[in-house]
Amino acid sequence: MSNSIDIGRRGFLIGAASLGGGLALGLDIPFGAETATAAPLIKPEVNAWVVVKPDDTVIIRIARSEMGQGSLTGLAQLVAEELDCDWTKVTTEYPTPGESAARSRVWGDFSTGGSRGIRSSQDYVRKGGAVARAMLIQAAANEWSVPAKECRAEKGVITHAASGRSTSYGKVADAAAKLTPPTDVTLKDPRDWKIAGKGLLRLDTADKTTGKMIYGADVKLPGMLNAAIKACPVFGGKLASYDESKIASFKGVKKVVRVGGNAVAVVADTWWHAKTALDALPIVWDEGPNAKTSSADTAKWLAEGLSNSQPAVAGNENGSAHAAIAKAPKVVEAVYSYPHQNHAAMEPLNATALYTPDRCEVWTGTQNGEAAFDAVVHASGLPAEKCDVHKTILGGGFGRKGFTDYVTQAVLIAKQLPGTPVKLLWSREEDMTQGKYHPVTQCKLTGAFDADNKLTALHIRISGQSILSTVRPQAVKNGVDPAVFQGLVSTGDAQIGYDVPNLLVEHSMRNPPVPPGFWRGVNINQNAIYLECFMDELAHATGEDPLAFRRKLMANHPKHLGVLEAVAERAGWDKPAPEGVHRGIAGYMGYGSYVAAVAEISVAQDDKIKIHRIVAATDPGYAVNPAQIERQIAGSFVYGLSALFHGAITTKDGRVEQENFDSYESMRLKDMPKVECIVMPSGGFWGGVGEPTICVAAPAVLNAYFAATGKRIRSVPLKNANIGFV
């Protein structure tokens, strides 16, 4: 099945989803009543996922975080579908990770990243809705003294056809909550969906439009103070000293506090008073061993790692690539590079903490409620049952808010003012210079052809940073960071779509002091550029059409080929483009989904690019909300194209040079191309949505640029080559 839409330049929404760090715990999800250690309930519930009020309003609890990507609505659709409730009466709420911990993790994983919000929880949230429906039907059947199998539910109304009786969910909810939940339920076939699978309006749009929505930065508590913070501007450095006497007379200042070993914060009555005083505070930093490092040094170091003489680990290998390349009559070689990049969410990092010796609570936007909860427990020094985290919607996350450094800071500050709520808000400069950045890498690609121009070998050697070695070192086995090889391996949820007789993909790990983090799309962003632009190079080296060249290598990868064929057909690949317009194509797999794009661009004489249109296809297996997927695709292109044209974090003397949006730009509305989306769920698997398509925009545009100019651009961002938007 296919569902397509044309999103105009003014019709896009910027969505977000990213792979966040946090707790990695196994799930054993119960659907019954609370355990003996359960926290007291705020309101009656049918089960952990569903609360039905007497007026038939249905509250669906959502454990995952909403940051613009639409998971809140999509997950509610899945629960509501199995519940058979009236969608017009559905609302949502976040449970807290403290409540979940007290109830044996009844809501499962709170982490929202890696495009996993729906795909990794769809089964148990659907079961939550199905169990609640069965309990409501059983309660009505008990009241009528009839077998439950004779009753049916639809739009929140239960009927018994034989007797002509009916009742609503709200009237039997209390009785249903007292029943023993069934242990086995049958989920609906997606072909029978009436709520899920439909392009319904998002549940959070109205509150955002009216200003009712509360983000972390909006939290206000009685008697609250505000904190501004500065950490050592050199990564790995420490706080040596500060002279608070110099700001003692500043208006509104309440306290100056050391935070951890590398930061100082000023607490005041307003955030502006806090920031003003902090900017005037004399601070001495111990800059440590990284005070002289620079991006230039890092680039040179990474380039050395591209040599075959340097140590490396293989992530994917078949045949003998080195031997095949050595004897090949034709060899093509290229070196690409990709920089550090910042998440640059519109809402800077923030958290509000209230600490007393008996209780610690935090209000924050986080991509991982359980990781934030863990941070509160450790920073407060209190037992878990005396801590909790109240999640708010996020003003963007993109992976950065899966980390919890800002939550820890807020608690450490609040501990020094017990009984007083303190809101910590990072400045834009702090947010830019204290990030967890997209990893920096370089890549050398070598392709070999036989006398008949058949590709016989492909060697991909990546030199650069490993995220997992820093944030989750236990996941690195025998020197292999599996995340480095996203989209370049033969198994898992990011598989390579080409068959090459001799293939070697390897990584020379080199970790500069700039801290890496999960950044929307993570490593498929640069890996797709490396692979898909080089495939374009290989096609042109043999004089073949880039699509035809790929087709031959994708014979055993029908889903990869399916999305590629879809965008080619929609874009009219086999027909001439309009005069002055040139096309580029790219396809990839990431986060369980298959994606492809064709970009149509023109290039002015001053090397400025106008992107006229991008046709994009995605096969996510199942489409919970096709309209939201379409907007996620368009939104991901905003992020991906911003990175392609503008995005680079550089360091000099150990410091990040880009401190605000004047030096770290985003694309403007006028530059947004027309986006045509093809949503083509083939069923049988659950893929992600928010991150996969981001990776094909850049290589499609770069390949179109070559078609227009005959020049290859192998380094991002384009601004470094004086290439921008028209």
Side-chain angles (χ1 to χ4, degrees):
M1 153 176 115
S2 143
N3 190 316
S4 64
I5 192 169
D6 179 347
I7 299 180
R9 183 172 288 112
R10 296 188 177 274
F12 74 92
L13 299 175
I14 301 178
S18 57
L19 178 60
L23 303 178
L25 303 174
L27 298 181
D28 180 13
I29 310 301
F31 297 100
E34 54 188 311
T35 65
T37 59
L41 295 175
I42 297 175
K43 55 178 73 69
E45 62 180 27
V46 179
N47 66 5
W49 301 96
V50 175
V51 175
V52 181
K53 298 172 119 180
D55 65 357
D56 294 324
T57 297
V58 174
I59 301 172
I60 295 175
R61 293 191 176 126
I62 306 296
R64 307 287 179 158
S65 299
E66 176 60 53
M67 48 190 160
Q69 83 280 28
S71 289
L72 183 144
T73 299
L75 288 167
Q77 284 180 259
L78 289 174
V79 175
E81 179 64 56
E82 299 294 341
L83 182 61
D84 275 319
C85 66
D86 184 346
W87 179 253
T88 66
K89 297 182 178 180
V90 167
T91 186
T92 62
E93 70 178 15
Y94 287 139
T96 71
E99 291 173 317
S100 190
R103 297 176 64 173
S104 301
R105 295 191 77 228
V106 67
W107 287 288
D109 190 353
F110 277 59
S111 177
T112 310
S115 290
R116 296 173 313 204
I118 287 178
R119 66 185 173 115
S120 66
S121 61
Q122 55 81 22
D123 182 70
Y124 61 81
V125 302
R126 291 162 69 201
K127 286 178 180 175
V131 166
R133 182 189 73 237
M135 294 167 71
L136 290 160
I137 290 175
Q138 186 64 60
N142 290 349
E143 181 179 317
W144 297 331
S145 299
V146 300
K149 64 182 179 182
E150 294 181 3
C151 302
R152 64 186 299 269
E154 185 175 6
K155 289 189 176 181
V157 176
I158 305 165
T159 58
H160 181 243
S163 63
R165 284 176 288 191
S166 67
T167 189
S168 70
Y169 281 178
K171 293 177 181 176
V172 298
D174 286 346
K178 297 179 175 66
L179 298 177
T180 300
T183 57
D184 186 31
V185 291
T186 301
L187 299 179
K188 294 181 182 180
D189 188 313
R191 291 175 294 187
D192 299 325
W193 282 349
K194 298 178 181 177
I195 297 175
K198 308 301 179 185
L200 304 180
L201 297 177
R202 288 177 51 153
L203 296 173
D204 54 348
T205 301
D207 284 352
K208 289 179 178 178
T209 303
T210 61
K212 183 179 178 182
M213 183 67 70
I214 299 297
Y215 295 83
D218 298 324
V219 169
K220 293 181 181 178
L221 298 176
M224 184 179 76
L225 296 177
N226 296 268
I229 194 166
K230 278 186 182 179
C232 183
V234 176
F235 299 114
K238 299 177 181 179
L239 172 64
S241 64
Y242 55 87
D243 185 0
E244 62 184 287
S245 66
K246 299 296 184 180
I247 61 169
S249 62
F250 275 51
K251 184 176 181 180
V253 172
K254 305 297 183 183
K255 197 175 185 67
V256 182
V257 300
R258 180 183 291 265
V259 185
N262 74 328
V264 59
V266 173
V267 182
D269 55 354
T270 70
W271 185 80
W272 186 249
H273 286 156
K275 182 181 184 300
T276 300
L278 181 62
D279 288 343
L281 180 67
I283 304 172
V284 178
W285 303 109
D286 174 2
E287 296 184 351
N290 301 318
K292 298 301 180 183
T293 59
S294 69
S295 293
D297 296 333
T298 297
K300 182 179 178 181
W301 185 40
L302 265 57
E304 294 170 357
L306 296 176
S307 170
N308 290 337
S309 65
Q310 296 296 305
V313 294
N316 192 9
E317 184 174 11
N318 61 264
S320 179
H322 287 308
I325 291 169
K327 66 181 182 181
K330 178 186 289 187
V331 174
V332 178
E333 188 174 282
V335 174
Y336 285 77
S337 64
Y338 200 92
H340 285 118
Q341 292 175 330
N342 196 296
H343 300 82
M346 187 60 66
E347 179 192 26
L349 295 171
N350 64 86
T352 300
L354 174 58
Y355 171 87
T356 71
D358 296 317
R359 181 81 176 160
C360 186
E361 294 180 89
V362 167
W363 290 258
T364 189
T366 171
Q367 289 181 238
N368 193 334
E370 289 182 309
F373 177 65
D374 185 66
V376 172
V377 171
H378 281 85
S380 69
L382 297 173
E385 59 268 22
K386 293 187 176 183
C387 298
D388 215 340
V389 172
H390 306 279
K391 293 200 306 175
T392 65
I393 194 169
L394 288 72
F398 312 118
R400 181 61 178 93
K401 290 172 185 170
F403 293 88
T404 58
D405 48 342
Y406 61 104
V407 176
T408 295
Q409 288 178 340
V411 174
L412 293 177
I413 295 169
K415 282 182 73 175
Q416 300 185 61
L417 294 99
T420 300
V422 180
K423 181 198 289 183
L424 170 66
L425 175 65
W426 285 25
S427 66
R428 176 61 60 191
E429 290 75 16
E430 193 75 3
D431 199 82
M432 291 293 295
T433 59
Q434 297 294 326
K436 310 290 185 184
Y437 303 93
H438 188 295
V440 61
T441 62
Q442 294 182 22
C443 184
K444 182 178 180 180
L445 302 102
T446 308
F449 295 91
D450 63 16
D452 297 321
N453 271 339
K454 179 182 178 182
L455 184 66
T456 57
L458 178 62
H459 180 201
I460 302 173
R461 185 180 176 95
I462 300 168
S463 174
Q465 206 160 14
S466 157
I467 301 174
L468 292 183
S469 66
T470 299
V471 306
R472 199 177 297 157
Q474 67 273 20
V476 178
K477 306 294 185 183
N478 300 317
V480 177
D481 175 352
V484 167
F485 300 100
Q486 279 184 300
L488 301 174
V489 292
S490 56
T491 60
D493 67 359
Q495 300 176 25
I496 191 169
Y498 303 110
D499 286 331
V500 183
N502 301 281
L503 174 68
L504 174 60
V505 186
E506 57 185 352
H507 175 218
S508 178
M509 188 185 298
R510 295 178 178 234
N511 293 319
V514 178
F518 303 113
W519 188 99
R520 187 180 183 186
V522 197
N523 291 307
I524 65 171
N525 294 314
Q526 71 270 19
N527 288 351
I529 291 176
Y530 299 159
L531 181 63
E532 285 302 286
C533 288
F534 192 62
M535 280 294 167
D536 207 69
E537 293 201 45
L538 294 177
H540 284 285
T542 60
E544 283 195 79
D545 172 78
L547 176 59
F549 181 80
R550 287 172 169 84
R551 280 189 184 122
K552 292 188 299 184
L553 301 175
M554 285 185 172
N556 297 320
H557 302 274
K559 293 192 183 298
H560 284 85
L561 184 57
V563 290
L564 207 65
E565 297 278 19
V567 294
E569 180 181 357
R570 173 66 66 84
W573 185 267
D574 59 348
K575 300 179 180 64
E579 185 176 355
V581 173
H582 302 269
R583 296 188 180 115
I585 194 167
Y588 216 66
M589 181 189 182
Y591 304 98
S593 291
Y594 303 85
V595 296
V598 169
E600 294 183 340
I601 75 168
S602 59
V603 181
Q605 289 185 345
D606 57 356
D607 232 10
K608 295 297 185 286
I609 294 174
K610 179 175 180 59
I611 308 174
H612 299 273
R613 176 173 71 146
I614 299 182
V615 179
T618 183
D619 178 359
Y622 295 103
V624 175
N625 189 318
Q628 182 56 29
I629 293 174
E630 293 154 359
R631 285 157 179 80
Q632 276 285 71
I633 292 171
S636 76
F637 288 168
V638 177
Y639 212 62
L641 294 174
S642 292
L644 172 64
F645 281 82
H646 302 299
I649 289 292
T650 58
T651 57
K652 183 179 180 181
D653 294 329
R655 290 165 162 78
V656 168
E657 294 184 285
Q658 294 74 27
E659 296 186 344
N660 212 311
F661 288 126
D662 60 335
S663 53
Y664 194 83
E665 294 186 69
S666 178
M667 69 182 295
R668 302 298 194 262
L669 185 62
K670 68 180 179 62
D671 302 320
M672 183 64 187
K674 177 182 179 182
V675 177
E676 295 181 22
C677 300
I678 306 169
V679 182
M680 44 190 296
S682 59
F685 64 95
W686 289 80
V689 170
E691 294 176 271
T693 54
I694 187 176
C695 74
V696 290
V701 169
L702 289 171
N703 290 338
Y705 180 83
F706 174 80
T709 66
K711 294 185 291 186
R712 288 285 175 193
I713 302 297
R714 300 188 179 99
S715 179
V716 171
L718 295 181
K719 71 175 185 179
N720 291 345
N722 295 315
I723 299 172
F725 290 105
V726 170

